[in-house]
Amino acid sequence: MKHIKIKLLIAAVFMFAATSAFADYSYNFSVNTSSVAGQPGYVDLMFNPGDNSLGSATATITNFNTDAALGAALLTGGATGVLPSTVSIVNNALNTNNPYNDDFQQVTFGQNMNFSLNLSGAAGNSFMLYFYDGTVSNSLLTNNLSSGIATEIDMTKNGAIVTNNSNQVTVSATPIPAAAYLFGSGLMGLVGIRRKMKN
Amino acid sequence: MNTIMKKALTSLVFVLAFAVCSTAAFAGILKRPYLIYPGNNTTMEVLWQDTATETTNTISWGTDTTYSLGSTAVSENNSSANQHIYTITGLTPNTLYYYQVTADGNPADGVYGSGSFLTAPAANATSVQFIGLGDTRTQPNALDMVEAEVNKVVAANPSYQGLAIHDGDWVATDAETDWTNEWFSPNMADSIKFLSQVPVNGAKGNHEDDGGYSIYFPKYYPFPWTQVSQVGTKGSLPELNNFFWSFDYGPVHFTIVDQYSEQKTVNGQSGTSGPSVGSTQYNWLVSDLTAASNNPNTPWKVLIYHEPAWNSGTHTNNLYAQQIMDPLVKQYNVDVVYTGHSHNYTRCGVYSTQTTSDSIAPNVPYVTEGDSGAPNDTVDLTNTTTGSSQGWRHILLADETYSYMTFDVEGKTMTMKAWSVIQSNGAPVVGVTNTSTAPSYTSVTPTTSVPIETVVLNHFTDMTSQVSATTTGYGYNRVSKLYTTNLTITNNGPALTGNVDVALNGLVSGVTATAAIAKNNGLTPGITLTNATGQNNGAPMITASTSGLASGASITIPLTFSTTSGAAINFTPVILQE
């Protein structure tokens, strides 16, 4: 009986980790900005909840490097940090005083832009990457002029969904952290069971 | 001048004198011809009133102005002095007829009025249009202005000619003079034209009430009541009550309640009246709504009474209507509650996705059309007190300009439009004084109608229980200044066919309520779904699929929103199958 319970617990832990509403995803972004090189504009890193957000989540942008000239940043809502340093965006609830959470940063585009993105926390939140021209009259580097979004990553209960609307953006998942999370959470579960059995 | 010439002139003078005398022998018209739709699509009731007793008045009718289909003399109605009533029968449904009333059948002796009417559509019709009026009392010049606008609607689309509904307070008091000088004012040409071409069916208001009964309301509008009772006489006229009745007009069933047939006090609210549970009228009401619910030809049910359960002031919410009528509205799936009393246009309601502790029926628009001529009442958008008859807490939209409504039923969809009558230059109508001698609003003409709001009701099937819905995080496009999200719906039940729509309850198109009202209602004002394809009871709606949704399948659609309030976008998706 005890063994069956343990197996069930282990299975539950793994299932929780695998399909959890709380997960961790990492991606590498590579953006070819040569078509707009030399132009003034903006890069907009946004992370917002949807109606079905299941809790807190954070988007962290690291390893940002570019040959572009970066300018002033306008941080709104849950955004902290300024590129090229680490930018962290918490999924604060949207309201009149907090219409969105983003780092809206001035840039004179170069040939490329690269960064790493980590999304951690609850499902029901989305990261969005936008590019604008210098007067914020036109969206750049996107095929979806309606939304203006170049690349979007949605955190769902069934995993992350990447929607790339840009021919200039290459986004690739870096699965190791997720696997590590899975392994780690499973390991933590086993340790917990072990302790319970000892007691 | 020779003798022959003199004789000829003398004869001519005699002939002229006779002609003048014979014309003068006729009494003349006091209330020009007007119409009642008696609830039968092959009949129409025409009424008029002379200034003195006449027995030779003649009505002629036809499908053109030769009036060649029929002609008959109409003697006075026995119980009503100088009043004539004639029901034309044998008509064809959904057909335009013309009629003329003359003193004696010879137009040369005096035409008392002429007009036209549209017979009701076939019983199995699925499409119908009609007009909505209410609280027309006291300012006949303002009423004339509103009816001038209705006449324009009828001229542009004659299908609206078939019927107007009225929610009571036709005149200031149930007195002969008020009926003569207000509703039937001989000085108001647009009112006369309106009455000559649009039958008006409706309810009794408190201003037609005289201690629970009426004398002149039933005299001038003798509707085919279900169980009218005589409680006495006043002069030669009967005192009547129990003016409850119902009728079908194409696919719509109208149930009309008399709130004054029994005087009741509910929860100590002074002046609250109406039939109690178990009374004759209540039992009829249950029976009528049951029959209408079982009639496949009348999928739409409109309940008409005067004093609203829910409104925006200045009158209190009627507790009798809340306690007695609201449960019936829920039980029998009444589509629209149509009331007046407060002199403004108001739509109250809650959605099934909201929680409320009071009696209001979810997903049902409670319409107050009380501003078709009576002095405007200021709306109160701030008093959200609960548990009080003065807590006007379920307002979705309110407007205090002169107004009327149009209704358009097309199969499973009913479109209700409320229209404000304003000056053509966009300014509100002001300076309408209380007069029955001249249409003083002419000082602000030309007038025009502008929409207050459009509300679309759908008889679609709610499939929310078997379809889950999720949205992605909201994006904000700084160029378009629109918010975007992707809505994914997943069918967890049997396959859906045809159009599958998503209504975004909580976002209410055109909400003008203050933040307090919106918050109390759990609604988000000032946010528009810019890619909406339709509307469901005021909430924006988008078609997710035109080819159904297989069992287990999902579909994702983009949603885009504009916001003027800056408020967070917050809605509850309701999945509808057409």
Side-chain angles (χ1 to χ4, degrees), chain B residues 182-264:
Chain B
E182 295 182 10
W183 181 257
F184 294 111
S185 172
N187 302 309
M188 305 298 164
D190 292 306
S191 289
I192 290 169
K193 182 179 180 182
F194 167 76
L195 291 173
S196 75
Q197 64 178 359
V198 182
V200 186
N201 287 9
K204 171 183 166 177
N206 60 302
H207 280 260
E208 287 80 60
D209 184 57
D210 186 2
Y213 57 85
S214 302
I215 299 164
Y216 294 96
F217 171 62
K219 174 182 178 181
Y220 290 113
Y221 276 93
F223 296 119
W225 296 293
T226 303
Q227 198 170 336
V228 69
S229 305
Q230 183 166 350
V231 294
T233 57
K234 193 166 187 179
S236 61
L237 295 173
E239 297 171 320
L240 304 174
N241 70 1
N242 282 320
F243 302 113
F244 55 89
W245 64 298
S246 65
F247 64 96
D248 295 340
Y249 187 68
V252 187
H253 180 77
F254 295 91
T255 301
I256 298 177
V257 171
D258 178 359
Q259 289 178 298
Y260 310 98
S261 62
E262 277 186 285
Q263 297 296 306
K264 293 285 179 187

Side-chain angles (χ1 to χ4, degrees), chain B residues 317-487:
Chain B
N317 289 330
N318 188 284
L319 293 182
Y320 153 73
Q322 291 180 9
Q323 294 178 8
I324 307 298
M325 309 289 279
D326 278 356
L328 299 177
V329 172
K330 288 179 192 169
Q331 182 176 352
Y332 294 101
N333 297 314
V334 169
D335 294 288
V336 180
V337 178
Y338 188 79
T339 61
H341 202 39
S342 289
H343 302 166
N344 44 59
Y345 168 80
T346 301
R347 180 170 59 95
C348 292
V350 300
Y351 294 90
S352 56
T353 46
Q354 299 174 235
T355 55
T356 177
S357 58
D358 51 42
S359 64
I360 189 167
N363 299 322
V364 176
Y366 284 71
V367 170
T368 297
E369 176 46 85
D371 217 351
S372 300
N376 305 140
D377 277 348
T378 303
V379 301
D380 187 341
L381 299 177
T382 61
N383 185 348
T384 62
T385 309
T386 57
S388 162
S389 61
Q390 290 183 314
W392 298 295
R393 54 194 176 276
H394 291 312
I395 302 166
L396 295 173
L397 188 142
D399 179 276
E400 55 194 49
T401 60
Y402 296 110
S403 58
Y404 64 93
M405 293 185 71
T406 57
F407 295 80
D408 184 352
V409 177
E410 299 287 345
K412 291 183 175 180
T413 297
M414 174 187 280
T415 302
M416 309 189 303
K417 290 185 179 179
W419 298 91
S420 171
V421 180
I422 61 169
Q423 297 186 59
S424 294
N425 63 10
V429 172
V430 294
V432 175
T433 55
N434 179 10
T435 176
S436 61
T437 56
S440 69
Y441 72 88
T442 51
S443 63
V444 298
T445 54
T447 56
T448 190
S449 299
V450 294
I452 297 171
E453 70 163 343
T454 299
V455 177
V456 181
L457 307 178
N458 301 299
H459 277 177
F460 299 159
T461 308
D462 189 341
M463 307 304 296
T464 308
S465 62
Q466 75 168 55
V467 179
S468 58
T470 59
T471 60
T472 57
Y474 287 94
Y476 179 71
N477 184 338
R478 289 175 185 267
V479 174
S480 65
K481 304 193 187 322
L482 297 177
Y483 284 89
T484 61
T485 187
N486 292 314
L487 174 72

